[in-house]
Amino acid sequence: MGHGVPELVLELNGRTWTLDPSRSYTLGRDPQGDLVIDDARVSWRHASISWGGRSWVIEDHGSTNGTYVQGQRIHQMEIGPGSAVHLGNATDGPRLSLSGAASAGAYSAQSAAPQQQAVKQQAAQAPVQPQQQGWQQPPQAPAQPQQGWQQPPQAQVPHQQGPGGAGGFAGAPPVYGDRSPTTFHQLALGRVMRIGRALENELVVSDLQVSRNHAEFVATPDGRFEIRDLGSHNGTYVNGQPIAKNGTVLLGPNDIVGVGHSTFRLVGDRLEEFVDTGEVSFSARHLTVTVEGGKQILKDVSFGVPEKSLIAVIGPSGSGKSTLLKALTGYRPANEGDVLYDNRNLYKQFAELRQRIGLVPQDDILHKELTVRKALKYAAKLRFPGDTAEAEREARIDEVLRELKLDIHKDKKVTSLSGGQRKRVSVALELLTKPSLIFLDEPTSGLDPGMDRDVMQLLRGLADDGRTVLVVTHSVAELAICDKLLVMAPGGAVAYFGPPEEALNFFGYSTWADVFSAFENYRDYDWAGRWRGSQHYQMYAADIDAVAAQSVTMPPAQQMRPPKAQSWGSQLWTLIRRYSSVIASDRGFLGLMVILPAVLGVVSVVIPADFGLAPPTPPSRFNGDAGTIMLILAVGMCFSGAANSVRELIKERVIYERERATGLSRSAYLMSKVIVLGVITAIQGVIICGIGFATRELPEEGLIMPPAVELCVTITALGFTSMMFGLVISSLVKTAEKTMPLLVMFAIVQVVFTGILFQVYGSPGLEQFAWLMPSRWAIAAAGATLDLSHLMPPWDPKNPTNLDPLWEHTAGQWGMNIAILLAIGIACGFAVARLLRRHEPEVMRK
């Protein structure tokens, strides 16, 4: 801006602000905004005021109650001294009065925008002469596009910088480059400065990621300061590493303290606070991923983007897009290279920075059986600190719903929404914690062109509102609304990075179909070399690439894992409630859970009570058919128990992966499944036994309890262990379609090794293998109760004393059988916990 920019002074409720034309100002109830207006009629991010090049402009950001000038609701309008703006109501809403400043040269200190910005705009507008269409054979391909680029000499300076000045991405201070602090606080010797959400703190941080009483700065007798965690939920960090809960760390002059979205640095006795409002830069430097066998699936990828940018990543299959996304988010750190979040190393400070990163996978990260509001409610309960009031969570949910225009759909089930609306709900879930950086993997996959455009415009709006958004996509229809485009070549190398409108010209084709065909036809061509030899590379990536690649040295695993926002018990209770709600909302599944055991119980009743064997003494209607009846009941319970759980982990795999990265406890997640499914399986066991034994005459006395109760306990224990086997299957498979064949195979194997169809004991190898089968121990427990050794005909009539030792009619044998049966189920639980590790961010695996 030059001296001709008219100064603008804004007055509101007796306070005045002199607006700087080099930046934009946000107005709303957001405590992290520039002008905070605490009025219920004002939206969270209501509007913004900025210099538009020839005049000041106010723009409404889709506020609920509107922005008004002279009684008329406006969306965007030029304003100046003498204007008056009402927010939320045309007559009595908060009134912004605008006037000119007294001095004409107040902006002389900021008289010019950074020269680099002008150079970038000049370069972006430079005339580009189209290349000759059609791809030349790679050996004759030009080293760089034959274009009329004349790069200005000044364009060599880095252009992706934070708002504070130079420094870019190389060698900058560890906090926000040279950005000016958001505010200052004075620390006095002998004084304690407490940080938290509660108003009684000396330093109040309005951030739901922060506990009510989070941490405190304490002056030591020798004049130094230390930071003490006060049992915070989301942790207190020093230089990106979490300190122990209720622990204390002595601070040095260069140490940086992280609390939620705020970062603090001590300068003498002054505490500088930097609030992450979303306007952060992001860069990747020399990312290389090598898998077993030495094959590189990501090769030396470097790019950098400024704040409030929308970046699209495209490329053919096998170009490493998914691998790049995992490397950028920290899910699978690269073997070499750095990922910098506003000059902070994401890999080394993952535990802290993961709270500021949102990831929307290709599959929806929510339970489709729940309503939109209920799905967000459970997500907020899991992600926000345990001391967050319900009203605070509800307020944040309402804000996100309004921002994404989902408030009219909040009471609809997710499954009833269109594909584009479901993607909005997934984005809403991530926006709950106000991430500054949002990654999306194929958000438009399977959507029609209209929904494709709506989703991309949504992402454009998220970037304009002060976030950095990176989207991996196959769709090329809406690339023009992106700020930068990253094109990946086969083999995982960069083929282009720069403005999307210049990309086709760079490749020398008129359509992206031609470009992708060239990638396929010339897979061995050095696309990365062509890119690095181009002037586009000098303009858009050379400054990022100037830093040498480094091997990634990761902190200890304990420091990489984020703390849990909720206690283990609180997470378990929330997960149980959510899972119960999901099951209760699926009436078809509920009906099947009742009908299946009822049918199996009825089937067992059909079997005749007597098969022609001589009745034992005293008479019993079980006779020789007792074994057949118990076989049907046991196998039916095996099938029911395993069917309950065999799909439960695979269908929630994407949800688990994302929630685990936000601090979900693996054991609490698994235990919630065990408890809810265990209750359902127990009810099914009672139904099967109630029907199966209702018409049968049982022995008068049991070994420990009444015979009916003993048999019911046996069948229920078998159902529990079978359910745990189902969870093992669900954690092993890669697709839900593979669960049914494995379920059938499991049930058939149980039939064979019960010990009812043929003699299992006394057969070396076969007997030992049968010990691994739940049905073997369940039938053994039932055999002990019913004394099947004497009720059934002996396997060897010549040697009737050759009896199955597991069927011994004693209380001790029955107890041992039940104990081993449950132990197998518990062992399956440990196996599932280990298998779940495969579906977690690599940096969090123990």
Side-chain angles (χ1 to χ4, degrees):
M1 299 298 165
H3 293 281
V5 176
E7 298 180 357
L8 194 66
V9 176
L10 187 149
E11 181 179 359
L12 171 68
N13 296 333
R15 298 179 62 192
T16 60
W17 292 266
T18 302
L19 304 190
D20 180 350
S22 67
R23 55 164 298 190
S24 174
Y25 293 82
T26 59
L27 294 74
R29 290 188 294 110
D30 186 353
Q32 297 181 0
D34 299 302
L35 282 71
V36 182
I37 305 170
D38 190 13
D39 189 297
R41 295 167 294 183
V42 177
S43 296
W44 191 255
R45 289 196 173 192
H46 194 102
S48 64
I49 297 178
S50 60
W51 174 253
R54 62 179 186 140
S55 64
W56 290 91
V57 176
I58 185 167
E59 180 180 359
D60 185 279
H61 290 298
S63 63
T64 303
N65 296 317
T67 303
Y68 300 86
V69 175
Q70 296 181 348
Q72 300 296 318
R73 184 165 183 169
I74 58 101
H75 172 67
Q76 187 178 53
M77 186 174 182
E78 295 183 356
I79 55 176
S83 300
V85 180
H86 285 88
L87 305 179
N89 188 284
T91 55
D92 62 350
R95 184 177 189 270
L96 308 177
S97 300
L98 309 175
S99 60
S103 59
Y107 288 105
S108 59
Q110 305 157 343
S111 59
Q115 189 177 16
Q116 303 96 302
Q117 184 69 25
V119 170
K120 284 164 53 181
Q121 294 176 354
Q122 180 182 353
Q125 296 168 1
V128 180
Q129 301 184 11
Q131 296 185 21
Q132 181 180 0
Q133 297 299 315
W135 182 254
Q136 303 297 322
Q137 197 72 5
Q140 290 80 33
Q144 61 188 35
Q146 305 299 311
Q147 297 181 357
W149 278 110
Q150 296 298 321
Q151 182 180 355
Q154 299 93 328
Q156 295 291 343
V157 298
H159 62 279
Q160 289 101 347
Q161 298 184 14
F169 300 107
V175 178
Y176 305 125
D178 295 325
R179 182 173 301 173
S180 299
T182 307
T183 187
F184 303 94
H185 308 277
Q186 201 67 32
L187 286 173
L189 292 176
R191 179 184 171 196
V192 174
M193 178 175 283
R194 180 169 292 185
I195 307 170
R197 278 194 348 267
L199 296 179
E200 63 264 19
N201 292 285
E202 287 79 10
L203 204 165
V204 179
V205 179
S206 183
D207 180 358
L208 289 183
Q209 292 290 311
V210 177
S211 300
R212 295 186 62 82
N213 296 293
H214 195 103
E216 61 186 12
F217 287 96
V218 182
T220 60
D222 59 358
R224 302 171 69 184
F225 292 92
E226 61 186 18
I227 181 71
R228 178 181 302 150
D229 183 83
L230 299 177
S232 63
H233 295 83
N234 277 325
T236 305
Y237 302 84
V238 175
N239 300 325
Q241 307 305 320
I243 66 176
K245 187 165 285 195
N246 296 307
T248 301
V249 172
L250 192 64
L251 299 176
N254 297 319
D255 288 336
I256 291 143
V257 177
V259 173
H261 285 79
S262 297
T263 308
F264 302 91
R265 176 169 58 188
L266 278 170
V267 180
D269 59 351
R270 188 176 70 173
L271 185 66
E272 296 181 347
E273 179 181 4
F274 302 83
V275 179
D276 185 347
T277 57
E279 298 180 351
V280 297
S281 58
F282 181 75
S283 66
R285 299 192 303 200
H286 302 286
L287 296 183
T288 299
V289 174
T290 305
V291 295
E292 294 180 5
K295 181 182 178 182
Q296 288 187 341
I297 54 178
L298 208 62
K299 298 179 182 178
D300 200 19
V301 175
S302 297
F303 66 93
V305 293
E307 59 194 36
K308 299 204 301 188
S309 296
L310 174 59
I311 308 97
V313 179
I314 65 172
S317 298
S319 59
K321 299 188 299 297
S322 297
T323 302
L324 175 63
L325 193 64
K326 292 179 181 178
L328 294 176
T329 55
Y331 270 47
R332 199 286 187 196
N335 302 100
E336 294 182 10
D338 299 308
V339 175
L340 298 185
Y341 176 101
D342 225 22
N343 295 315
R344 302 180 66 186
N345 191 302
L346 174 64
Y347 294 162
K348 296 180 180 179
Q349 303 184 25
F350 178 80
E352 177 185 355
L353 296 179
R354 56 97 194 180
Q355 302 179 49
R356 310 185 193 182
I357 295 177
L359 173 62
V360 181
Q362 182 173 348
D363 297 322
D364 294 325
I365 49 176
L366 32 86
H367 293 86
K368 297 178 183 179
E369 300 85 357
L370 301 178
T371 63
V372 171
R373 187 176 190 85
K374 188 171 286 189
L376 295 180
K377 173 184 144 184
Y378 286 120
K381 179 71 174 171
L382 288 171
R383 297 191 183 194
F384 289 144
D387 60 6
T388 306
E390 184 176 356
E392 293 178 290
R393 292 195 300 269
E394 294 288 341
R396 180 59 189 152
I397 291 171
D398 289 338
E399 290 158 9
V400 170
L401 289 174
R402 286 196 298 269
E403 181 180 359
L404 297 182
K405 308 292 190 297
L406 286 169
D407 43 346
I408 60 175
H409 303 295
K410 62 183 179 182
D411 295 322
K412 296 179 182 177
K413 284 189 176 183
V414 176
T415 188
S416 68
L417 301 178
S418 67
Q421 290 168 345
R422 284 204 302 271
K423 193 58 63 177
R424 282 179 178 264
V425 179
S426 293
V427 173
L429 191 151
E430 291 301 309
L431 290 185
L432 288 173
T433 53
K434 295 187 179 180
S436 302
L437 190 61
I438 303 177
F439 293 92
L440 300 100
D441 187 11
E442 300 285 358
T444 60
S445 177
L447 302 184
D448 61 49
M451 289 184 179
D452 180 359
R453 180 179 57 194
D454 291 344
V455 170
M456 292 301 291
Q457 288 178 344
L458 165 68
L459 304 184
R460 177 73 265 173
L462 294 178
D464 293 339
D465 284 344
R467 306 174 182 93
T468 300
V469 182
L470 187 145
V471 53
V472 174
T473 180
H474 275 112
S475 174
V476 296
E478 302 296 330
L479 295 179
I481 68 173
C482 300
D483 297 301
K484 291 289 189 296
L485 174 64
L486 177 67
V487 182
M488 301 294 292
V494 177
Y496 173 83
F497 176 73
E501 61 271 15
E502 301 172 16
L504 284 175
N505 224 9
F506 171 82
F507 287 107
Y509 287 103
S510 58
T511 67
W512 282 108
D514 294 331
V515 175
F516 278 49
S517 293
F519 283 149
E520 181 64 29
N521 295 332
Y522 305 106
R523 298 185 69 90
D524 295 331
Y525 180 66
D526 187 8
W527 296 99
R530 181 177 184 271
W531 157 241
R532 293 179 186 275
S534 70
Q535 293 188 24
H536 279 76
Y537 170 80
Q538 295 297 324
M539 298 185 65
Y540 301 116
D543 54 315
I544 303 297
D545 243 359
V547 182
Q550 301 179 25
S551 296
V552 177
T553 303
M554 306 299 290
Q558 185 63 37
Q559 297 181 0
M560 296 296 291
R561 288 193 300 275
K564 299 175 180 61
Q566 303 279 331
S567 66
W568 188 89
S570 178
Q571 282 197 10
L572 176 62
W573 177 236
T574 301
L575 290 167
I576 289 175
R577 290 170 55 201
R578 183 178 71 177
Y579 191 31
S580 300
S581 297
V582 169
I583 292 177
S585 64
D586 191 345
R587 295 181 180 177
F589 184 60
L590 279 177
L592 187 62
M593 285 181 174
V594 175
I595 293 173
L596 180 61
V599 169
L600 293 172
V602 170
V603 168
S604 71
V605 174
V606 174
I607 301 174
D610 188 359
F611 202 64
L613 297 174
T617 302
S620 169
R621 290 169 57 191
F622 264 98
N623 296 329
D625 298 307
T628 305
I629 294 170
M630 289 309 305
L631 173 67
I632 296 299
L633 292 176
V635 173
M637 195 67 244
C638 279
F639 189 83
S640 290
N644 289 339
S645 59
V646 76
R647 289 177 178 265
E648 294 309 295
L649 297 183
I650 180 63
K651 76 179 184 181
E652 290 187 1
R653 184 160 296 170
V654 176
I655 299 174
Y656 173 74
E657 288 177 357
R658 181 65 194 126
E659 291 185 340
R660 180 72 175 129
T662 62
L664 178 71
S665 166
R666 182 196 310 149
S667 58
Y669 174 78
L670 177 57
M671 189 57 66
S672 70
K673 298 292 185 188
V674 172
I675 291 174
V676 174
L677 292 174
V679 170
I680 293 173
T681 303
I683 294 173
Q684 290 178 327
V686 172
I687 293 174
I688 286 181
C689 293
I691 297 175
F693 298 143
T695 60
R696 307 293 184 185
E697 181 180 341
L698 299 174
E700 295 181 357
E701 294 184 1
L703 297 172
I704 300 176
M705 300 169 280
V709 176
E710 276 187 17
L711 292 173
C712 191
V713 169
T714 299
I715 293 297
T716 301
L718 174 60
F720 169 81
T721 302
S722 299
M723 177 202 77
M724 298 304 294
F725 264 95
L727 290 177
V728 172
I729 294 173
S730 192
S731 62
L732 278 172
V733 297
K734 293 184 178 180
T735 62
E737 289 74 16
K738 295 179 180 179
T739 58
M740 291 310 297
L742 292 174
L743 173 62
V744 173
M745 182 182 71
F746 169 76
I748 291 176
V749 169
Q750 299 312 304
V751 174
V752 174
F753 291 98
T754 54
I756 291 289
L757 298 179
F758 59 93
Q759 180 178 334
V760 173
Y761 67 94
S763 303
L766 184 66
E767 180 180 14
Q768 287 70 35
F769 183 77
W771 290 345
L772 302 176
M773 301 296 118
S775 61
R776 168 67 169 146
W777 297 101
I779 289 296
T785 297
L786 298 172
D787 195 13
L788 284 182
S789 293
H790 296 97
L791 195 61
M792 290 177 60
W795 294 112
D796 184 3
K798 297 180 181 180
N799 187 11
T801 60
N802 184 19
L803 305 176
D804 191 331
L806 299 186
W807 292 4
E808 183 182 350
H809 188 57
T810 63
Q813 186 62 52
W814 182 87
M816 187 189 79
N817 293 338
I818 293 294
I820 295 178
L821 179 60
L822 294 176
I824 293 174
I826 294 172
C828 288
F830 283 103
V832 173
R834 296 291 296 178
L835 291 169
L836 282 175
R837 292 176 65 250
R838 302 183 306 162
H839 311 297
E840 298 174 1
E842 188 169 311
V843 294
M844 297 178 61
R845 299 178 189 174
K846 295 183 180 180

